[in-house]
Amino acid sequence: MKRNAVLNRIGQVLERRRNALRRSVSEGLRSADAGASHPVGDEIDAASDAAHGELSWHLIEAESRELASIENALERLRNGEYGRCEECDGAIPAARLNALPYATLCIKCQREAEREPSGSGAAGDWSRVVDLSDVDVTPDPAELSA
């Protein structure tokens, strides 16, 4: 199958997933609003409702992030940029796009981004974090006037 046909097929998958996520986020928001307004029975019910509500908000947040990634991918598809790495402009393999249709980086660039502390989605380099809790960080007046 030609690359353009593969990209168009993936675009259709993205559109279906976008529509499903829109429905899910909308239903989740309606459900969260409805849950916040109903009366609570006792402390156990309140704790259960709070835990359920927090879990629902985390799910809505995750779905919203995925939805934003899909919208970005569909925009790139419309602009003819879909399937190209945002970093090196190389072609993203079809196998990667099948696995993660909203991927914006090729595997090599994604690995590099994950290694960099400032890379998007990178966890960061915690070995460079310094505890300054016992350090006086009050500026020296002489340094300020210099």
Side-chain angles (χ1 to χ4, degrees), residues 24-37 48-66:
S24 179
V25 168
S26 178
E27 290 169 7
L29 290 172
R30 273 195 304 274
S31 175
D33 286 342
S37 64
S48 176
D49 287 350
H52 183 267
E54 186 168 337
L55 182 61
S56 294
W57 281 112
H58 285 293
L59 180 61
I60 290 168
E61 183 181 2
E63 288 178 336
S64 295
R65 281 193 307 270
E66 183 181 359

Side-chain angles (χ1 to χ4, degrees), residues 13-29:
V13 169
L14 284 167
E15 288 175 356
R16 286 193 301 271
R17 179 67 181 150
R18 176 192 61 191
N19 294 338
L21 282 170
R22 283 180 175 172
R23 282 190 303 274
S24 179
V25 168
S26 178
E27 290 169 7
L29 290 172

Side-chain angles (χ1 to χ4, degrees), residues 1 3 7 10 24 26 34 39 44 57 61 67 74-75 77 86 122 126 128 130 132 142:
M1 191 182 307
R3 184 164 173 85
L7 296 181
I10 293 173
S24 179
S26 178
I44 295 173
W57 281 112
E61 183 181 2
L67 183 57
L74 289 170
E75 180 67 24
L77 186 64
E86 287 183 340
W126 286 93
R128 296 183 183 179
V130 179
L132 297 175

Side-chain angles (χ1 to χ4, degrees), residues 98-112:
N98 277 321
L100 188 65
Y102 42 83
T104 59
L105 300 174
C106 66
I107 294 171
K108 180 182 174 213
C109 291
Q110 182 66 46
R111 284 185 182 143
E112 289 174 13

